[in-house]
Amino acid sequence: MTDPDLTLLGHSENRLPASPEEAKLETFPNCRPGRKFWITLDCPEFSSLCPVTGQPDTAHIVIRYVPDESCVETKSLKFYLASFRNLPAFNEEVVNRILDDLVAAMNPQELHIEGKFGSRGGIQLTCSASHPNQ
Amino acid sequence: MTDPDLTLLGHSENRLPASPEEAKLETFPNCRPGRKFWITLDCPEFSSLCPVTGQPDTAHIVIRYVPDESCVETKSLKFYLASFRNLPAFNEEVVNRILDDLVAAMNPQELHIEGKFGSRGGIQLTCSASHPNQ
Amino acid sequence: MTDPDLTLLGHSENRLPASPEEAKLETFPNCRPGRKFWITLDCPEFSSLCPVTGQPDTAHIVIRYVPDESCVETKSLKFYLASFRNLPAFNEEVVNRILDDLVAAMNPQELHIEGKFGSRGGIQLTCSASHPNQ
Amino acid sequence: MTDPDLTLLGHSENRLPASPEEAKLETFPNCRPGRKFWITLDCPEFSSLCPVTGQPDTAHIVIRYVPDESCVETKSLKFYLASFRNLPAFNEEVVNRILDDLVAAMNPQELHIEGKFGSRGGIQLTCSASHPNQ
Amino acid sequence: MTDPDLTLLGHSENRLPASPEEAKLETFPNCRPGRKFWITLDCPEFSSLCPVTGQPDTAHIVIRYVPDESCVETKSLKFYLASFRNLPAFNEEVVNRILDDLVAAMNPQELHIEGKFGSRGGIQLTCSASHPNQ
Amino acid sequence: MTDPDLTLLGHSENRLPASPEEAKLETFPNCRPGRKFWITLDCPEFSSLCPVTGQPDTAHIVIRYVPDESCVETKSLKFYLASFRNLPAFNEEVVNRILDDLVAAMNPQELHIEGKFGSRGGIQLTCSASHPNQ
Amino acid sequence: MTDPDLTLLGHSENRLPASPEEAKLETFPNCRPGRKFWITLDCPEFSSLCPVTGQPDTAHIVIRYVPDESCVETKSLKFYLASFRNLPAFNEEVVNRILDDLVAAMNPQELHIEGKFGSRGGIQLTCSASHPNQ
Amino acid sequence: MTDPDLTLLGHSENRLPASPEEAKLETFPNCRPGRKFWITLDCPEFSSLCPVTGQPDTAHIVIRYVPDESCVETKSLKFYLASFRNLPAFNEEVVNRILDDLVAAMNPQELHIEGKFGSRGGIQLTCSASHPNQ
Amino acid sequence: MTDPDLTLLGHSENRLPASPEEAKLETFPNCRPGRKFWITLDCPEFSSLCPVTGQPDTAHIVIRYVPDESCVETKSLKFYLASFRNLPAFNEEVVNRILDDLVAAMNPQELHIEGKFGSRGGIQLTCSASHPNQ
Amino acid sequence: MTDPDLTLLGHSENRLPASPEEAKLETFPNCRPGRKFWITLDCPEFSSLCPVTGQPDTAHIVIRYVPDESCVETKSLKFYLASFRNLPAFNEEVVNRILDDLVAAMNPQELHIEGKFGSRGGIQLTCSASHPNQ
Ligand SMILES: [Ca+2]
Ligand SMILES: [Ca+2]
Ligand SMILES: [Ca+2]
Ligand SMILES: [Ca+2]
Ligand SMILES: [Ca+2]
Ligand SMILES: [Ca+2]
Ligand SMILES: [Ca+2]
Ligand SMILES: [Ca+2]
Ligand SMILES: [Ca+2]
Ligand SMILES: [Ca+2]
Ligand SMILES: [Ca+2]
Ligand SMILES: [Ca+2]
Ligand SMILES: [Ca+2]
Ligand SMILES: [Ca+2]
Ligand SMILES: [Ca+2]
Ligand SMILES: [Ca+2]
C-alpha cells in the first residue's frame, strides 16, 4: 500500500533543508478522491526568526484541508516546516506562505492555516488564512 | 426486550477477529424509526499498524449518526474496531473505511467519523469523513 | 405565589415510584406564556438497568425546552427520573421515552433530551433526541 | 466626564433596597449611540429565596445587551440585583423579571438574560430569556 | 495465567446481588507478594438509597490499596458495589462498610476509600476512611 | 437506622433562622467512633452582609473534619449556614465563628474551615482556620 | 524585508506616551493585500483609570481584524495601549475608542475589539464593538 | 463592629497615592489573636513600571499570612498596591518590598508573597519571598 | 556524540518484537553519573491483551527514574512497550514486569512505574510500583 | 536603579550567539542577599537539535532558584537559551548543561531545572536536575 513517490518515509538521511525553497512537500494519492473529507495537522513545534531582531519566534501551526487528488505526506511536511527554522520572516508572511506552498503542492478543495505565535511585549499574535480566498 | 439478532451480547467466546473483513457489524432495530435523533459512540482505545514502519498507531475514534431502520450494536462495534489491531493502514484509510463499513451495515440517515491519531514527529493528524457526501 | 397543582413540594412521603408509568410528571403554569424562553435541567445522577445483563447503567441527562402553557415541576421530574432505577431499558429507549413523556406532560414549543451514558467495553454512548421532529 | 444622573457612584449610604420595586436601575447615555456594540455583565453572586421552602437560592446571572440611547450603570445594577435577596421568587420568574426591568430601564436594541441556579435534589436549572421576543 | 478461583470472569448469569451481604468479593493471588505496590480502582457509578427519604444517592468511589497476599477481582467488585443499589445507608456508613468488607476479603497492607456523594441542599459531602487506622 | 435526634430531616416548616445564635447544629452518632476518618462538606452557596457597607458578601465554605463521638447533620448545617444571610460580619469572623460553633456542637478530633469570599476592589480574600489550634 | 516606516522597532527611547492622542499607531504594508485573512492580537495587560474613583481599571483586550492595505505594527500598538494607563475613561469608551483609532490608522476590511475588565462589586463587565457597523 | 482606625472604608476621596512611601497600610485588630489561622489575598491586577524601558509591567500578586495582633485592611492594601503603578522597580524588588512593608505594618506570625509577572521575550518570571526568613 | 551501542536509532527495519522476551531494552551511558537527577517518560499509547477475554487493554504508562550508570534509550523502549501488544497479561503483571525489566536493563537508583488502564465495567484501574521496594 | 553590568538591556544589536559557549549569562546583584527567596523563570520556547537525526527538538524549560549574591538577568538568559538552537544535544545533556552553566554564572543557594521535551514516537521525555546534588 506504500506509494513509490514517498522518498522520505523509511529513510534516515534527514538533513534539515536550509529554506522552504529547498524543502520538498511530497504528496500521495487521496484514498477517497470523490468524497469531501477533512484532514487536520496540528504542529505545535514551529519556529522561525524575527526579521527585525534576529531572535527565534515560535508558533503553533494548525493545517486543515479537504484533499482533492492528493494529500500531503506528513514526514515531508515536518521537513518543510523545519526549513523555516533559520528564515527571517514576519508572522503574517509565514502563515500566508505555508498556505501558498500547500496549495501549490496538493491543490486542495479547501485549506485553512492558523499560526499562533509566542507572546512578545505582552501581545500574542495569531494569523489565519484560507484557500480559496473567501 | 432483547433482540434475537444479537448473537454476541451475553456470550463469552470473544476471539478477536483477524481483520475488518472477518469482523461482523451487527445491528438491532431502531426504537423510534420515524424520529431524526443522534447516537454518538466515543471510542478512545483504537489501534492499527503503520503500513510503512509496522509500528502501532493509536487513535480516538468518534462515531456520530442518525439511525434509519437500524442501530449498530456496541459489542459488535467493539469487536469490529479491535479487528484493525494488526492491520497495516494509513490514517485516512482507517477513517474512510469505518465510514464505508458502517454505511454498509446500517444505512444511516447521517454518519460522521472522526479519528484523532497519536502525534508522530511533532505532528498530530485528525481525519474526519461524513455520509452522505457533502 | 405557590401553585395548588404542586402536590409534591413540601411533602415528605417520598416513596420511589416503581416505574415511569407509575411516576407523575407535574407541571405549573408558565410565568411568561407569550415569550419564547429556554429552561435547561441538568440531571447528572440518572440510572437504569441494562436489559441484557441486568447491571446498572448510569447517565447524565440534560433536558432543554421552550415552555408553552406549562413548565415541568423539578421535584416531580426528580421522582420521574428515579423511577427508571429498576427498569431494564436500552440507552436509546431511555432518551426517547423521556422525550415522549415530557411532550405528553407539558406540550413544549421545543424540547431536546441528551443522555450521556457510562463507558462500557471502551465505548461511551450518547443519545440525543428532539421535539418537534426535525 | 461623570454624568449628573448617576446618584449612586461615589456615595456611601448604601442601604440594601428591600425589593426590586424599591431599587432604582440608573442609566447613563450610550457613548456611541449609532453603533451596534455589546456589553456583557457577569454577576456570579445573585441570591433570592425559594417561594416554597423559604430557603436561599443562589444563581450566576449573565446580562448581555446592545445599548440604544442608554446603558445601565453597574453600581445601581448591583443594588437592584441585591434587592432580590429577601424576595421569594421562582427561578423562571427571577430571570424574566430582570429582563422586563432592564427593558423598562434602558430600552436596549437587544437583551439576553441567563440565570444558572444552584443544584437542588440532583437537578441544576438554568433559565434564559431575550428581548425582543424571538 | 487465569486463576481457578475466578468464578465470575467469562460468565454471563450476572444477577444483581440483593445486598452487600449476598455479594461475594472474590480475590486472586498477588503477582508480586513481596513488593509494596499500589492499585487504584476508580468507580464513578456508585448508587445507594437515602435511609431518610428513600431517594437514590449517587457517589464516585475511589479505592486505593497495597495488596498483601491477594488482590480483589474487579468484576466481583463491580457486583459488590452494585449490591448497595437498593440499600438504605448513610454516606458515612457506605464508605466505612466498603472499607471493612475489603479488609475482610483481602487483608491488604494499606487501604483507602473515598466516596464523593452528589450535592444535596447546596452541600456536597465526601467521606474517606483508611486501614490500618491512623 | 434513622436517629431520634434528627428533628429536621423529613420536616417542612423550614423557616430561615434569624441568626447563628438562633440556628441549631444537630448531630448524630458517629458510625465508626474508634476509626480516624474524614468528612468533607463543600458549601458553595454561603452569603452574609458586609458590616461596613451593608452589601451582601458571598463565599464558598469548605468544612473538613475527623468526627469523634458525633457528626454534624447536613440539613441542620444548611440552616445554620443560611442563618448568616442577614448578619453583618467580617470575613475572618465568619470563618472563625463557624469553626467555634462546630467545635461546640460536635467536639471533633480535627476540624478545618476554609471560606473563599467574592472578589472586592480587585482583591479576593480566603480565610482558613483549624481546631485544635496548631 | 524591514519597512522604512517602522520607526519604533529596534529603538530604545521607549518613553510612555502621555495619552492616546500623543501615541502613534504605525502600520506596515499588508503582505497579501488581495487575500481576506485574519490577524488576532491578544493583549492581556491593559490598564486605564476609573473616571469616577481615579482607581486603576485593568482589562484583557482582544483585537481581531482583516487587513486591507496595511497592518498595525505590534510595538506601536503596545505603546498606544500603554498610553491609556493614566487616562480616566469608562470601559465602553475605552473599547470604542480603540476601535475608532485602529480604523483611522489602518482602515481594515473588518475589525473586532473586545475588552474584558476586572470585576468590581461582584460584577464583571465585557464590552465588544466592530467595524464596519453591523 | 466597625473599627475607628479604618479611615478609608466608606470614604470616596480615593486619590491614588503617588508611591508606596505615600500609601498607608491600615490594620484592624485580629478577631482571634490566640489562634493560628491563614488569610490569603489574591490580587491579580498589580502593575508597576520596568526600570530599564519605562514600560508597564503587570503581575498577579498573592499574599498569604498568619496574623498576630492585627490584620491588613483590604481597601488600604488596594491603595498601597496601586501606589506602585508609576514606580520603576525590578520584579524581585517589588515582591521583597511588599513583604517588608506588610511585616512593618502588621508584624504577622508568617507571611508569604508571590508575584507572577507578565511574559517578556518568551520568559515568564515569578518571585516569592517569606517572613520569617527560612 | 552518538553512542556505538545504539543500534536502533537511525535504522528502519522496525519489525515489532513478538514479546517482551524478544524485545531488547538498549541503554546509553548516563551523561552525569554523579548527579541524582530524574527522567520521566510519558507513554500514553500502551496496549496489551486481557488474559481472560482476549480483548485489547489500553494503558497510559508513566516511567520515572533516577539513572545510575546508564539510561534507557527511548526508541528501544518504544519497541519494548509495543512488544506487549499481543501478550495476554493482567494489569498488575504488566506494571510489575516493566519495573523488573527496566531494573534489569539499567539498574537505576530509583524507578517508579504507573499504568492507568482503560475503564472496564464502570471501573478504571491504575497500578503503580517502585524500585527499590519501599 | 539600573546596573552598569547589564550590557544587553536597552540595546538592539541582538545577534543570536552561535553556541552556549559563545553566549554570556549576565547577572545583577541580589536585592535582598540575606533572605532566602525563590525566582522561577518559565521558558516555553526552547529548541535544540537531535544529535542523531539532526531534526529540531523543542522543550519547555523551567528554572527555579534561590539567589545568593546575584540573579541571572533575563535578557541574557533568553540569548543563552537561544544559543542551543543549532546545537545537537541529547535531552538529558541539555538540562544538565543549563544547570551547570547557571551554577557557574551565579552560584545560587538552590537551583532546579526541568525540561519537558516534545513527544517523539509516542513517548514524551521530561528531565529535571538540581543543585546542590541531593
Ligand atoms: Ca477533483
Ligand atoms: Ca497524510
Ligand atoms: Ca446502540
Ligand atoms: Ca401557546
Ligand atoms: Ca421549574
Ligand atoms: Ca456600564
Ligand atoms: Ca504477607
Ligand atoms: Ca485486580
Ligand atoms: Ca472519643
Ligand atoms: Ca453527615
Ligand atoms: Ca503585525
Ligand atoms: Ca502575639
Ligand atoms: Ca482583612
Ligand atoms: Ca553508581
Ligand atoms: Ca533517554
Ligand atoms: Ca531577574
Side-chain angles (χ1 to χ4, degrees):
Chain A
M1 209 182 280
T2 43
D3 186 303
D5 286 350
L6 302 184
T7 61
L8 286 167
L9 272 176
H11 283 215
S12 291
E13 30 82 55
N14 293 335
R15 198 177 56 81
L16 204 61
S19 71
E21 284 80 10
E22 188 185 312
K24 181 157 168 20
L25 281 166
E26 301 193 9
T27 62
F28 62 91
N30 178 355
C31 66
R32 292 291 188 286
R35 176 178 288 162
K36 188 185 176 191
F37 69 96
W38 289 90
I39 296 173
T40 303
L41 299 158
D42 194 27
C43 314
E45 305 191 27
F46 182 87
S47 179
S48 57
L49 295 179
C50 174
V52 178
T53 65
Q55 293 299 301
D57 277 344
T58 61
H60 184 147
I61 305 286
V62 179
I63 298 164
R64 200 168 131 74
Y65 71 101
V66 177
D68 190 8
E69 300 301 318
S70 60
C71 297
V72 67
E73 194 278 316
T74 55
K75 194 164 186 183
S76 76
L77 177 67
K78 171 181 140 182
F79 277 73
Y80 167 76
L81 293 176
S83 76
F84 284 81
R85 186 169 180 81
N86 294 312
L87 185 77
F90 287 104
N91 301 163
E92 296 87 353
E93 181 61 29
V94 164
V95 168
N96 280 287
R97 177 163 193 179
I98 295 173
L99 184 77
D100 292 342
D101 288 348
L102 281 169
V103 167
M106 60 171 176
N107 190 26
Q109 295 187 38
E110 280 192 46
L111 174 58
H112 306 279
I113 311 290
E114 184 190 73
K116 213 169 191 157
F117 290 82
S119 181
R120 292 292 174 267
I123 299 181
Q124 185 272 318
L125 185 149
T126 300
C127 181
S128 59
S130 297
H131 166 85
N133 204 354
Q134 300 168 320
Chain B
M1 209 183 281
T2 44
D3 187 301
D5 285 350
L6 303 184
T7 60
L8 285 167
L9 273 176
H11 283 217
S12 292
E13 29 83 54
N14 292 337
R15 197 177 56 82
L16 203 62
S19 72
E21 283 81 10
E22 187 185 312
K24 180 158 169 20
L25 282 165
E26 302 192 10
T27 64
F28 63 91
N30 178 355
C31 67
R32 291 293 188 285
R35 176 178 289 160
K36 190 186 175 190
F37 69 96
W38 288 90
I39 297 173
T40 304
L41 298 158
D42 195 27
C43 314
E45 306 190 27
F46 182 86
S47 180
S48 57
L49 296 179
C50 173
V52 178
T53 65
Q55 293 299 301
D57 277 344
T58 62
H60 184 147
I61 305 284
V62 179
I63 298 164
R64 201 169 129 74
Y65 71 102
V66 177
D68 190 11
E69 299 301 316
S70 60
C71 297
V72 67
E73 195 277 317
T74 54
K75 194 163 187 183
S76 78
L77 176 67
K78 170 181 140 183
F79 277 72
Y80 167 76
L81 292 176
S83 76
F84 284 81
R85 187 170 181 79
N86 294 312
L87 185 77
F90 287 105
N91 301 164
E92 296 86 353
E93 181 61 29
V94 163
V95 167
N96 280 287
R97 176 161 194 181
I98 295 173
L99 184 76
D100 292 342
D101 288 348
L102 282 169
V103 167
M106 60 172 176
N107 191 27
Q109 295 187 38
E110 279 191 47
L111 173 59
H112 306 280
I113 311 289
E114 184 191 72
K116 213 169 191 159
F117 290 82
S119 181
R120 291 294 173 266
I123 299 181
Q124 185 272 318
L125 185 150
T126 300
C127 181
S128 59
S130 297
H131 166 86
N133 204 355
Q134 298 169 322
Chain C
M1 208 182 280
T2 42
D3 187 301
D5 285 351
L6 303 184
T7 59
L8 285 168
L9 273 176
H11 283 217
S12 292
E13 29 84 51
N14 291 337
R15 198 176 56 82
L16 203 62
S19 72
E21 283 80 10
E22 188 186 312
K24 181 159 170 17
L25 282 166
E26 302 193 9
T27 64
F28 62 92
N30 177 356
C31 67
R32 291 294 187 285
R35 176 178 289 160
K36 189 186 174 188
F37 69 96
W38 289 91
I39 296 172
T40 303
L41 300 157
D42 194 26
C43 314
E45 306 190 27
F46 182 87
S47 180
S48 57
L49 296 180
C50 173
V52 178
T53 65
Q55 293 299 302
D57 276 343
T58 62
H60 184 147
I61 305 285
V62 179
I63 297 164
R64 201 169 131 73
Y65 71 101
V66 177
D68 190 7
E69 301 301 317
S70 60
C71 296
V72 67
E73 194 278 316
T74 53
K75 193 163 187 183
S76 77
L77 177 67
K78 170 180 140 182
F79 277 72
Y80 167 75
L81 292 176
S83 77
F84 284 81
R85 188 169 179 80
N86 294 311
L87 186 78
F90 286 105
N91 301 163
E92 297 85 354
E93 180 62 29
V94 163
V95 167
N96 280 288
R97 177 162 193 180
I98 294 173
L99 184 77
D100 292 342
D101 288 347
L102 281 169
V103 168
M106 60 172 176
N107 190 27
Q109 295 187 37
E110 279 192 46
L111 173 59
H112 305 280
I113 311 289
E114 184 191 74
K116 212 168 192 158
F117 290 82
S119 181
R120 291 293 174 266
I123 299 181
Q124 185 272 318
L125 185 149
T126 300
C127 181
S128 59
S130 297
H131 166 87
N133 204 354
Q134 299 169 321
Chain D
M1 208 182 280
T2 44
D3 187 302
D5 286 350
L6 302 184
T7 60
L8 285 168
L9 273 177
H11 283 216
S12 292
E13 30 82 52
N14 291 337
R15 198 176 56 81
L16 201 64
S19 71
E21 283 81 9
E22 187 185 314
K24 181 157 168 20
L25 281 166
E26 302 193 10
T27 63
F28 62 91
N30 178 356
C31 67
R32 290 296 187 283
R35 176 177 289 160
K36 189 186 175 189
F37 70 97
W38 289 91
I39 296 173
T40 303
L41 300 157
D42 194 27
C43 314
E45 306 191 27
F46 182 87
S47 181
S48 57
L49 296 180
C50 173
V52 177
T53 65
Q55 293 298 301
D57 277 344
T58 61
H60 184 147
I61 305 285
V62 179
I63 297 164
R64 202 169 130 73
Y65 72 101
V66 177
D68 191 9
E69 299 302 316
S70 59
C71 297
V72 67
E73 194 278 316
T74 54
K75 193 164 187 183
S76 77
L77 177 68
K78 170 180 140 181
F79 277 72
Y80 166 76
L81 292 176
S83 76
F84 284 81
R85 188 170 179 79
N86 294 312
L87 186 77
F90 286 105
N91 300 164
E92 296 86 354
E93 181 61 29
V94 163
V95 168
N96 280 288
R97 177 163 192 178
I98 294 173
L99 184 77
D100 292 342
D101 289 348
L102 282 169
V103 168
M106 59 170 177
N107 190 27
Q109 294 186 39
E110 278 191 47
L111 173 59
H112 305 280
I113 312 289
E114 184 191 73
K116 213 168 191 158
F117 290 83
S119 180
R120 293 293 175 265
I123 298 180
Q124 185 273 318
L125 185 149
T126 299
C127 181
S128 59
S130 298
H131 166 87
N133 203 354
Q134 299 169 320
Chain E
M1 209 182 283
T2 43
D3 187 301
D5 285 350
L6 302 184
T7 59
L8 285 167
L9 272 176
H11 283 215
S12 291
E13 32 82 51
N14 291 336
R15 199 177 55 80
L16 203 64
S19 71
E21 283 81 9
E22 187 184 313
K24 179 157 171 22
L25 282 166
E26 300 193 11
T27 63
F28 63 91
N30 178 356
C31 65
R32 290 295 186 284
R35 177 177 290 160
K36 188 186 177 189
F37 69 97
W38 289 89
I39 297 173
T40 303
L41 300 158
D42 195 28
C43 314
E45 306 191 26
F46 182 86
S47 180
S48 58
L49 296 180
C50 172
V52 178
T53 66
Q55 293 298 303
D57 277 344
T58 62
H60 185 147
I61 305 285
V62 179
I63 298 164
R64 202 169 129 74
Y65 71 101
V66 177
D68 191 4
E69 300 302 319
S70 60
C71 297
V72 66
E73 194 278 318
T74 54
K75 194 163 187 182
S76 77
L77 176 67
K78 170 180 139 182
F79 278 73
Y80 166 76
L81 293 176
S83 77
F84 284 80
R85 188 169 178 79
N86 294 312
L87 186 76
F90 286 104
N91 300 163
E92 297 86 354
E93 181 61 29
V94 164
V95 168
N96 280 287
R97 177 161 192 178
I98 294 173
L99 185 76
D100 292 342
D101 288 347
L102 281 169
V103 167
M106 59 173 177
N107 190 26
Q109 295 186 37
E110 278 192 47
L111 174 59
H112 306 280
I113 311 289
E114 183 191 72
K116 211 168 193 157
F117 291 83
S119 180
R120 292 294 174 264
I123 299 180
Q124 185 273 317
L125 184 150
T126 300
C127 181
S128 59
S130 298
H131 166 87
N133 204 357
Q134 300 169 318
Chain F
M1 208 182 282
T2 44
D3 186 301
D5 285 351
L6 302 183
T7 59
L8 285 167
L9 272 176
H11 283 215
S12 291
E13 30 83 51
N14 291 336
R15 199 177 55 80
L16 203 64
S19 72
E21 283 81 9
E22 188 185 312
K24 179 157 171 19
L25 281 166
E26 300 193 11
T27 63
F28 63 92
N30 179 356
C31 67
R32 290 294 187 285
R35 176 178 290 161
K36 188 185 177 190
F37 68 97
W38 289 89
I39 296 173
T40 302
L41 300 157
D42 194 28
C43 314
E45 306 191 26
F46 182 87
S47 181
S48 58
L49 296 179
C50 173
V52 178
T53 65
Q55 293 300 301
D57 278 342
T58 62
H60 184 147
I61 305 285
V62 179
I63 298 163
R64 202 169 129 75
Y65 71 101
V66 177
D68 191 6
E69 301 301 319
S70 60
C71 298
V72 66
E73 194 278 317
T74 54
K75 194 164 187 183
S76 77
L77 177 67
K78 170 180 139 182
F79 277 73
Y80 167 75
L81 293 176
S83 76
F84 284 81
R85 188 169 179 80
N86 294 312
L87 185 76
F90 286 104
N91 301 164
E92 296 86 355
E93 180 61 29
V94 163
V95 168
N96 280 288
R97 176 162 193 180
I98 295 173
L99 184 76
D100 292 341
D101 288 348
L102 281 169
V103 167
M106 60 172 176
N107 190 26
Q109 295 187 38
E110 279 192 46
L111 174 59
H112 305 281
I113 312 288
E114 184 191 72
K116 211 168 193 156
F117 290 83
S119 180
R120 293 292 175 266
I123 299 180
Q124 185 272 318
L125 185 149
T126 300
C127 181
S128 58
S130 296
H131 166 86
N133 205 356
Q134 299 168 320
Chain G
M1 210 182 280
T2 43
D3 188 302
D5 285 350
L6 302 185
T7 60
L8 286 167
L9 273 177
H11 283 216
S12 292
E13 31 82 53
N14 292 336
R15 197 178 55 81
L16 202 64
S19 71
E21 283 81 10
E22 188 185 312
K24 181 156 167 23
L25 281 165
E26 302 193 9
T27 64
F28 63 91
N30 179 355
C31 66
R32 290 294 187 284
R35 176 178 289 160
K36 188 184 177 191
F37 69 96
W38 288 91
I39 297 173
T40 303
L41 300 157
D42 195 26
C43 314
E45 305 190 29
F46 182 87
S47 179
S48 57
L49 295 180
C50 173
V52 178
T53 65
Q55 293 299 301
D57 276 343
T58 62
H60 184 146
I61 305 285
V62 180
I63 298 164
R64 200 169 132 73
Y65 72 101
V66 177
D68 191 8
E69 300 301 318
S70 59
C71 297
V72 67
E73 194 278 316
T74 54
K75 194 164 186 182
S76 77
L77 177 67
K78 170 181 139 182
F79 277 72
Y80 166 76
L81 292 176
S83 77
F84 283 81
R85 188 169 179 79
N86 295 311
L87 185 77
F90 286 104
N91 301 163
E92 296 87 353
E93 182 60 29
V94 164
V95 169
N96 280 287
R97 177 163 193 179
I98 295 173
L99 184 76
D100 292 342
D101 289 348
L102 282 169
V103 167
M106 59 171 177
N107 190 27
Q109 295 187 40
E110 279 192 47
L111 174 58
H112 305 280
I113 312 289
E114 185 191 73
K116 212 168 192 158
F117 290 82
S119 180
R120 292 292 174 267
I123 298 181
Q124 185 273 319
L125 185 150
T126 300
C127 182
S128 59
S130 297
H131 166 86
N133 204 353
Q134 300 168 319
Chain H
M1 208 182 281
T2 43
D3 187 301
D5 285 350
L6 302 184
T7 61
L8 285 167
L9 271 177
H11 283 217
S12 293
E13 30 81 53
N14 292 335
R15 198 178 56 80
L16 203 62
S19 71
E21 283 79 11
E22 188 184 311
K24 180 158 170 19
L25 281 166
E26 301 192 11
T27 62
F28 63 91
N30 179 356
C31 66
R32 291 293 187 285
R35 176 178 290 161
K36 188 184 176 189
F37 69 97
W38 289 91
I39 296 173
T40 303
L41 300 156
D42 194 28
C43 314
E45 306 191 26
F46 182 87
S47 179
S48 58
L49 296 179
C50 173
V52 178
T53 65
Q55 293 300 302
D57 276 343
T58 62
H60 184 146
I61 305 285
V62 178
I63 298 163
R64 201 168 130 74
Y65 71 101
V66 177
D68 190 6
E69 300 302 319
S70 60
C71 297
V72 66
E73 194 279 317
T74 54
K75 194 165 187 181
S76 76
L77 176 67
K78 169 180 140 182
F79 277 73
Y80 166 76
L81 292 176
S83 76
F84 284 81
R85 187 170 180 79
N86 295 311
L87 186 77
F90 286 104
N91 302 164
E92 297 85 355
E93 180 62 29
V94 164
V95 168
N96 279 288
R97 176 162 193 180
I98 294 173
L99 184 77
D100 292 341
D101 288 349
L102 281 169
V103 167
M106 59 172 176
N107 190 25
Q109 295 187 36
E110 280 191 45
L111 173 59
H112 306 279
I113 311 288
E114 183 191 73
K116 211 167 192 157
F117 290 83
S119 180
R120 292 292 174 266
I123 298 181
Q124 186 272 319
L125 184 149
T126 300
C127 182
S128 59
S130 298
H131 165 87
N133 204 356
Q134 299 169 320
Chain I
M1 209 181 283
T2 42
D3 187 301
D5 286 350
L6 302 184
T7 60
L8 286 167
L9 271 176
H11 283 216
S12 291
E13 31 82 52
N14 292 335
R15 199 177 56 80
L16 204 62
S19 71
E21 282 80 11
E22 187 185 314
K24 179 159 169 19
L25 282 165
E26 300 193 12
T27 63
F28 62 92
N30 178 356
C31 67
R32 290 293 186 285
R35 176 177 290 159
K36 188 185 176 190
F37 69 96
W38 289 90
I39 296 173
T40 303
L41 300 157
D42 194 27
C43 314
E45 306 191 25
F46 181 87
S47 180
S48 57
L49 296 180
C50 173
V52 179
T53 66
Q55 292 299 302
D57 276 342
T58 62
H60 184 147
I61 305 285
V62 179
I63 298 164
R64 201 169 130 73
Y65 70 102
V66 177
D68 191 5
E69 300 301 319
S70 60
C71 297
V72 67
E73 194 277 318
T74 54
K75 194 164 186 181
S76 77
L77 177 67
K78 170 180 138 182
F79 278 72
Y80 167 75
L81 293 176
S83 77
F84 284 80
R85 187 169 180 78
N86 294 310
L87 186 76
F90 286 105
N91 301 164
E92 297 85 355
E93 180 61 29
V94 164
V95 168
N96 280 288
R97 177 161 192 179
I98 295 173
L99 184 76
D100 292 342
D101 288 348
L102 282 169
V103 167
M106 60 172 176
N107 190 25
Q109 295 186 38
E110 278 191 48
L111 174 58
H112 305 280
I113 311 289
E114 183 191 73
K116 211 168 192 157
F117 290 82
S119 180
R120 292 293 174 266
I123 298 180
Q124 185 273 317
L125 184 149
T126 300
C127 181
S128 59
S130 298
H131 165 87
N133 204 356
Q134 298 169 319
Chain J
M1 209 181 282
T2 43
D3 187 300
D5 286 351
L6 303 183
T7 60
L8 285 167
L9 271 176
H11 283 216
S12 292
E13 30 82 54
N14 291 335
R15 199 177 55 81
L16 204 62
S19 72
E21 283 80 10
E22 188 185 313
K24 180 158 170 19
L25 281 166
E26 301 193 10
T27 63
F28 62 92
N30 179 356
C31 66
R32 291 293 187 285
R35 176 178 290 161
K36 189 186 175 189
F37 70 96
W38 288 90
I39 296 174
T40 303
L41 299 157
D42 194 27
C43 314
E45 307 191 25
F46 182 87
S47 180
S48 58
L49 295 180
C50 173
V52 178
T53 66
Q55 294 299 302
D57 276 343
T58 61
H60 184 146
I61 305 285
V62 179
I63 298 164
R64 201 169 129 74
Y65 71 102
V66 177
D68 190 8
E69 298 302 317
S70 60
C71 297
V72 67
E73 194 277 317
T74 54
K75 194 165 186 181
S76 77
L77 177 67
K78 170 181 139 182
F79 278 72
Y80 166 76
L81 293 176
S83 76
F84 284 80
R85 187 170 180 78
N86 294 312
L87 185 77
F90 286 105
N91 301 164
E92 297 86 355
E93 181 61 30
V94 165
V95 168
N96 280 288
R97 177 162 192 179
I98 295 173
L99 184 76
D100 292 342
D101 288 348
L102 281 169
V103 168
M106 60 172 176
N107 190 24
Q109 295 187 38
E110 279 191 47
L111 173 59
H112 305 281
I113 312 289
E114 183 191 73
K116 211 168 192 158
F117 290 82
S119 180
R120 292 293 175 264
I123 298 181
Q124 185 272 318
L125 185 149
T126 300
C127 181
S128 58
S130 297
H131 165 88
N133 204 355
Q134 299 169 319

